[in-house]
Amino acid sequence: MRKALLVLLVSGSALFSGGTTAQRNATPPAHRRNFVACPIVRDTKTLPCWLAEYEGELYFLGLQGSSASEFYPPQLNHEVLVEGTVTNEPRICGGIPLKPLRISVLPELNRACNTLLPAENGLEAPAAVARRFSEDLRKPGTDISQREFIIPFDFDSDYLTFHTTRIVGEAARIAKAINAAKIEVRGYRATTWLSNGKQFIETETIADQRANKVGEILVGLGLPAAAVTVISQNEPEPYDGVTDTDKRRVTVRLFTP
Amino acid sequence: MRLALLAGLLGVLLFSRARQDVIGQQAEPLRWIEAGAGGTLPAEMYFHNADGKLGVLLTGGPIEMKGHAFFEPQGINPRGCVTCHQPSNAMSVSVEAIRERWRVTNGEDPIFAAVDGSNNPKLPQALASSHSLLLNRGLFRVGLPWPPADKTVKPEFIIEIVRDPTGVNLDDTYGLKGVNPTISVFRRPRLSANLKYVLSPDDVFNIKTGTLMAVDPETGKPASMNMMADARHLTLRQQANGAYRDHQEGRQGLLRREALEQIVAFEQQVYLAQSHDRWGGSLVETNGPSGLGPRALADGKIHVLANNNRDPVFRLFDAWKTPATMAKELTDAQREFRASVARGNDVFMFRQFWIRDAAHINSIGLGNPIKRTCATCHNTQMTGQDLAPGWVDVGTVNYPTWTEPPVFSDNAELPVFKLTCDKGAAPHPYLGRVIYTNDPGRALITGKCADIGSIVMGQFRGLAARAPYFSNGSAKNLRELVDFYDRRFDMKLTEQEKVDLVNFLSVL
C-alpha cells in the first residue's frame, strides 16, 4: 500500500536555511520548562500523581487516567521530555503545575527511572475530571466544513493515540463526504529547545514515518490511494522553546475538484 | 495421636470423595469423545470436575456427531476438532484428560499424533517422554514460519536458539535451519465456545497499535483479533483451515466448503461455564449472581466494557455476600464457599495494585505503573478478556518474570529463544532490545520487537475443567495462577484473598 501512495520528499534545507542561527545565540524562554528527566510517580489516597524534577524544583505533570484521557502519563523505566509553561497556581501533589503541558515518553530504557513514592498526608491528588466514556468519543461528527486537520505527535513518536486517531478518522469521513479530489498528507519533524539551551532534535526519519502512517490509514479507511499524496518534510522547522510541540505533526488537507 | 487420627479420617474422606468423582466421571458417556465415534451430543450437558460440574449448552439443539465435520477426521491423521476441544474439558483439553488417554490407549490416541502432539516428530513416539510437554503441561507444538509468511512483514529482530530440549527447533527438517525455516512454540488449546464474545470487534482503530484494526476478509469489517494466542487467524474459517492443515495434517489445502461451514456453525452455538459447586448445588440460583452458568453466556450482551461497579465483568455477586441473602437450602459449607466467591469477585474487581511493566497495557497511554485492578485488563463482561485486541506481555513467557527453570538447566522443558532487535526498531518497552523468551508470541506474526512475549489473553470461563493455565501451561492449578500474579505485580495478597480469588475463578 505504501508504494501505491505518491511519496514526495521535500528538501527542507533550502526552505529553512539560516533559520536557526539567531536562535542558537538567544536564551530559552524563562517561563518555559523544557527538560528531559526521570518521571516520579507519587501514590495518593485516590489517583497517583506524576511529577518530574528540574534544577531542584518539582513539577506536576498530571494524574493517572485511562486510555481515553487527554493526558497519557509517563513511564517508569523511561525518561520523559517535559515541555510546559510555569503557572502561579497552587502546587499539586507537591509540584508546580505546568500549563499548557506536553510530555513525551522517550523510547529507550533507562532503569534508573524508578521512583515510586508512597501516599502522604497533605499531598493529595485533585479530584479527577469526570471520565468520558470512549463510546461517546468514538461517535463521528456531522460537520463537513473542515478542510485542514492537524495531528499532533509526541517527540520521536509516530504512535497515534485514542484522540489523534479520531482526527484522522474525521479527515477520512469528510474527505469521503465531499468527494475530495486530492488529500495532501504532510509529515513534519521538529526540534525542541530545552531550558538548558540545548536542542533536542527528532530522528531523521520521523516525518516519513508519521506521514506514511497517516497516509496508509486514510487509504485503509477507504480513500483512493491515487488521491492521497504523502509529503515528508524531514528538515526540522525553526524552534522557539514555546511552540515546538505544535511542530511535531502531520497535516491533512482536503481539496475539492 | 489425635492429630494422626484426624489426618487418617481426613485421608479417608478425601479418598472417598476422589473415588466418587472418578466413578461419576466414568459414568459420563461423553467424558471423552473420539473422532468418528458417532452418537448424539445433547443440547445440555454437565460434566464433573474437582470443583463441581461444568455446564455446556448447544443453543441450536442436539448434534448428530456421525458425519459431522467437527467430530470426524478431516485430514490424514485420525483426529477431529473434538480431539483437542472436548465438551467435558470446556472445549479445550486438560492435562488430567490427556494423561488418562495415554493410560487408556497406551499412547495410541490420535491426540498424541507426532505432528504436534509430541515434543518432536522425530522422537520415538511410543515413549511417554517424547510427549512430555503434552502430558505434563497440555502443550501442543505450533510451528510458525520464520520469517513470517506475510512477506510485507519486515522482522525487527533476529532469533537465536539458546536452549532446545525437544530438539525440534534445531532439527534439520522442522527447525529454523530446515527447508521451510520454522520456529516451534508450545501452547495450550483455547476454548472453542462462548465465541460471540471472543469475536466481537472493538473499534475501527486498534488502540494497542494506533493503526487500523485488521479487517475480517469475509465481512470487510474490523476483526476482534482475540481468538488466537498470537491473533494470527482472524475468523473461525481461517482458524478451522489452519487447524485442518497444521493439526489434522490435511493435504487438500483447505477444508471442503460444507465441512468448513459445519464446523463454524457448530462452534458459534456452544456456550459453557461452571454450573455446579463441589457439593452438587447449582450455581444458578433465583436472585443469585446472574453471570454464572452457561445460559447466562448464551443470553448475555456482547462487547460490554465492565471494569466498573455498576455492571461488573461477571456481574454482581451481592446475593452471596451475606448468609441472609443466600438460598435457604444451602448448607453451611456452601454458604461459606459462596461468601468466599463474592469476596473473590471483589478482589478481582476492586482490589488495587500496581500494574507494572506489562507491554500493551502500561505502554498504551495508561502509564507505567498504574494503580488499578485485575478488571482493568480483564474487562470484557462475561469472558474477562480485553475488549480491545488483548495481546499483552504479562510476563509468563519472557525472562525474567517467567516461572521456568534457569536457561542452563538440564530439567527445562521449553525452548529458549534469544531475540536481538535492530537498533532502529522501537524496543520492547520494558525489556529493551535483547530478550530471552520461550514464546515470542505476537511478535512471530508482526515481526515487531515491542510485541515479543505478548500473548492474547484467554477467556475465564470453564476454568475448573481445563487446567493447566496460561498459554505455556505454567500454572498447574488456579492457586499457581493467582500466585503468579501476586508475585509478578507484588500484589501482597493475603492468604484469605488468594483462597477467595481461587474460589471465585473456580465458579466461572
Side-chain angles (χ1 to χ4, degrees):
Chain A
M1 179 156 53
R2 202 171 274 190
K3 282 181 184 169
L5 303 176
L6 174 62
V7 178
L8 175 62
L9 296 178
V10 175
S11 170
S13 56
L15 289 173
F16 303 117
S17 60
T20 59
T21 307
Q23 290 156 343
R24 283 195 195 105
N25 297 328
T27 310
H31 66 295
R32 293 284 293 179
R33 290 295 177 273
N34 301 337
F35 60 94
V36 174
C38 283
I40 298 165
V41 60
R42 175 179 283 286
D43 197 6
T44 74
K45 290 169 189 165
T46 54
L47 287 173
C49 293
W50 284 92
L51 305 153
E53 191 178 314
Y54 179 66
E55 292 189 337
E57 185 54 89
L58 201 58
Y59 295 93
F60 171 73
L61 306 181
L63 292 175
Q64 172 182 295
S66 73
S67 52
S69 303
E70 296 286 350
F71 175 71
Y72 277 17
Q75 307 259 320
L76 293 189
N77 283 331
H78 291 266
E79 290 177 301
V80 64
L81 168 65
V82 177
E83 297 166 277
T85 300
V86 178
T87 69
N88 292 321
E89 294 178 14
R91 286 177 182 262
I92 302 174
C93 293
I96 297 171
L98 298 169
K99 285 182 186 173
L101 168 72
R102 283 290 299 275
I103 67 151
S104 303
V105 175
L106 302 187
E108 298 302 323
L109 275 178
N110 183 342
R111 297 204 184 277
C113 298
N114 198 24
T115 304
L116 195 163
L117 303 173
E120 283 184 51
N121 281 331
L123 292 173
E124 316 298 349
V129 177
R131 185 173 167 189
R132 297 165 70 197
F133 284 97
S134 55
E135 286 309 316
D136 296 335
L137 293 167
R138 283 173 176 172
K139 286 178 187 162
T142 52
D143 179 45
I144 58 166
S145 61
Q146 194 172 347
R147 294 292 179 273
E148 182 159 352
F149 303 82
I150 299 172
I151 300 127
F153 286 87
D154 287 350
F155 188 92
D156 251 355
S157 171
D158 66 349
Y159 176 71
L160 288 154
T161 66
F162 180 87
H163 291 278
T164 54
T165 54
R166 302 303 108 183
I167 302 171
V168 182
E170 275 297 278
R173 180 186 68 81
I174 295 173
K176 283 184 202 168
I178 65 171
N179 197 23
K182 180 183 171 190
I183 300 105
E184 182 192 277
V185 179
R186 187 180 290 259
Y188 295 84
R189 173 186 175 212
T191 299
T192 287
W193 199 10
L194 297 173
S195 294
N196 64 10
K198 291 182 180 170
Q199 299 164 51
F200 201 37
I201 308 171
E202 292 191 291
T203 315
E204 281 182 18
T205 56
I206 196 68
D208 288 342
Q209 290 171 233
R210 289 171 177 157
N212 284 326
K213 180 173 269 191
V214 171
E216 285 173 15
I217 290 173
L218 290 172
V219 172
L221 288 171
L223 300 183
V228 177
T229 303
V230 174
I231 302 168
S232 302
Q233 197 152 298
N234 288 315
E235 193 65 27
E237 291 179 294
Y239 53 83
D240 60 14
V242 178
T243 61
D244 301 339
T245 58
D246 302 338
K247 293 166 187 166
R248 297 192 298 259
R249 69 198 189 280
V250 164
T251 58
V252 178
R253 295 174 69 199
L254 311 181
F255 298 90
T256 45
Chain B
M1 180 67 178
R2 227 178 248 180
L3 272 176
L5 276 174
L6 191 61
L9 183 61
L10 193 64
V12 170
L13 285 172
L14 286 174
F15 175 77
S16 304
R17 173 143 172 260
R19 185 171 164 72
Q20 196 176 21
D21 283 348
V22 170
I23 290 168
Q25 288 173 18
Q26 285 174 342
E28 291 167 350
L30 297 169
R31 187 82 209 165
W32 186 267
I33 299 171
E34 289 187 41
T40 302
L41 199 65
E44 198 173 331
M45 293 162 272
Y46 296 93
F47 299 98
H48 283 89
N49 53 55
D51 290 307
K53 276 193 254 183
L54 174 84
V56 182
L57 202 59
L58 308 182
T59 55
I63 291 285
E64 287 306 321
M65 294 186 279
K66 195 72 192 168
H68 192 293
F70 190 90
F71 300 92
E72 296 279 358
Q74 302 296 316
I76 63 164
N77 69 33
R79 283 178 174 168
C81 306
V82 71
T83 305
C84 305
H85 298 281
Q86 293 280 338
S88 64
N89 286 210
M91 299 306 282
S92 174
V93 63
S94 69
V95 154
E96 184 188 13
I98 292 165
R99 287 178 178 170
E100 179 64 6
R101 293 309 293 169
W102 182 271
R103 191 187 66 77
V104 169
T105 67
N106 201 24
E108 296 290 326
D109 192 285
I111 200 168
F112 302 106
V115 64
D116 61 357
S118 78
N119 300 350
N120 178 343
K122 287 187 178 174
L123 293 172
Q125 297 297 305
L127 300 176
S129 60
S130 301
H131 306 270
S132 62
L133 285 170
L134 188 53
L135 287 164
N136 295 338
R137 304 169 67 131
L139 301 178
F140 291 84
R141 188 175 70 88
V142 178
L144 294 167
W146 187 257
D150 179 352
K151 296 304 171 204
T152 64
V153 172
K154 292 178 184 162
E156 295 179 346
F157 52 84
I158 57 163
I159 303 180
E160 296 168 76
I161 296 155
V162 175
R163 182 176 82 196
D164 191 28
T166 68
V168 75
N169 279 297
L170 292 172
D171 186 84
D172 54 9
T173 307
Y174 296 99
L176 196 53
K177 306 279 188 198
V179 178
N180 299 307
T182 299
I183 289 288
S184 285
V185 292
F186 295 85
R187 294 178 183 159
R188 297 278 293 130
R190 293 160 72 95
L191 283 69
S192 55
N194 308 329
L195 292 172
K196 71 176 181 180
Y197 300 96
V198 178
L199 295 169
S200 159
D202 192 38
D203 187 29
V204 173
F205 288 99
N206 181 344
I207 199 166
K208 295 274 165 88
T209 60
T211 57
L212 291 173
M213 195 80 90
V215 172
D216 179 339
E218 295 158 21
T219 64
K221 293 181 177 172
S224 77
M225 307 186 81
N226 268 330
M227 180 170 55
M228 309 291 288
D230 54 15
R232 69 184 185 279
H233 296 313
L234 302 176
T235 69
L236 289 176
R237 287 177 181 81
Q238 288 179 342
Q239 188 279 332
N241 276 321
Y244 164 72
R245 185 186 62 239
D246 299 335
H247 304 311
Q248 299 190 27
E249 300 176 84
R251 294 289 186 262
Q252 304 302 317
L254 299 173
L255 281 160
R256 290 176 298 107
R257 188 77 198 165
E258 313 83 70
L260 185 63
E261 295 309 318
Q262 204 170 30
I263 290 168
V264 170
F266 171 73
E267 289 173 333
Q268 286 175 323
Q269 58 147 316
V270 185
Y271 292 91
L272 63 82
Q274 190 77 347
S275 59
H276 292 75
D277 66 24
R278 66 185 69 135
W279 297 271
S282 175
L283 297 168
V284 181
E285 301 168 350
T286 309
N287 302 321
S290 62
L292 301 182
R295 174 56 65 187
L297 270 296
D299 294 344
K301 281 202 301 188
I302 60 167
H303 216 72
V304 177
L305 182 67
N307 53 354
N308 60 68
N309 57 6
R310 301 178 309 280
D311 192 14
V313 175
F314 299 102
R315 301 206 179 130
L316 297 168
F317 284 74
D318 292 359
W320 285 3
K321 284 191 171 173
T322 59
T325 52
M326 291 184 199
K328 288 188 172 49
E329 64 275 13
L330 296 173
T331 65
D332 287 347
Q334 285 175 304
R335 285 169 192 274
E336 201 174 303
F337 176 75
R338 279 159 175 69
S340 171
V341 168
R343 289 193 302 271
N345 175 64
D346 282 351
V347 173
F348 176 82
M349 288 300 307
F350 309 122
R351 166 71 152 76
Q352 292 190 323
F353 57 98
W354 292 106
I355 301 169
R356 183 167 180 164
D357 295 346
H360 295 304
I361 291 292
N362 295 101
S363 58
I364 59 161
L366 295 175
N368 183 40
I370 46 170
K371 195 173 75 172
R372 297 283 279 271
T373 74
C374 303
T376 297
C377 311
H378 300 284
N379 55 47
T380 302
Q381 192 165 62
M382 302 308 279
T383 63
Q385 289 189 280
D386 192 348
L387 216 53
W391 53 83
V392 175
D393 171 17
V394 78
T396 52
V397 297
N398 284 348
Y399 178 83
T401 46
W402 67 23
T403 53
E404 301 305 312
V407 171
F408 55 79
S409 171
D410 290 336
N411 300 321
E413 295 178 295
L414 291 174
V416 174
F417 308 102
K418 178 184 176 185
L419 277 58
T420 306
C421 304
D422 301 341
K423 283 181 182 167
H428 184 290
Y430 309 115
L431 296 174
R433 288 197 167 83
V434 178
I435 299 161
Y436 290 77
T437 183
N438 54 55
D439 186 347
R442 177 73 181 147
L444 284 176
I445 310 304
T446 65
K448 292 198 174 300
C449 185
D451 290 339
I452 295 171
S454 278
I455 303 284
V456 175
M457 61 180 78
Q459 293 186 53
F460 276 39
R461 305 313 295 238
L463 288 164
R466 57 183 175 92
Y469 310 105
F470 293 133
S471 65
N472 60 1
S474 55
K476 288 188 176 62
N477 50 51
L478 291 173
R479 177 57 187 250
E480 285 194 5
L481 181 148
V482 168
D483 282 340
F484 172 81
Y485 280 101
D486 185 47
R487 281 193 308 272
R488 169 69 177 83
F489 295 115
D490 194 20
M491 292 173 73
K492 297 183 172 65
L493 291 169
T494 65
E495 178 58 26
Q496 186 63 61
E497 285 176 320
K498 289 182 182 181
V499 169
D500 293 342
L501 261 178
V502 167
N503 285 337
F504 165 68
L505 294 169
S506 78
V507 303
L508 301 176

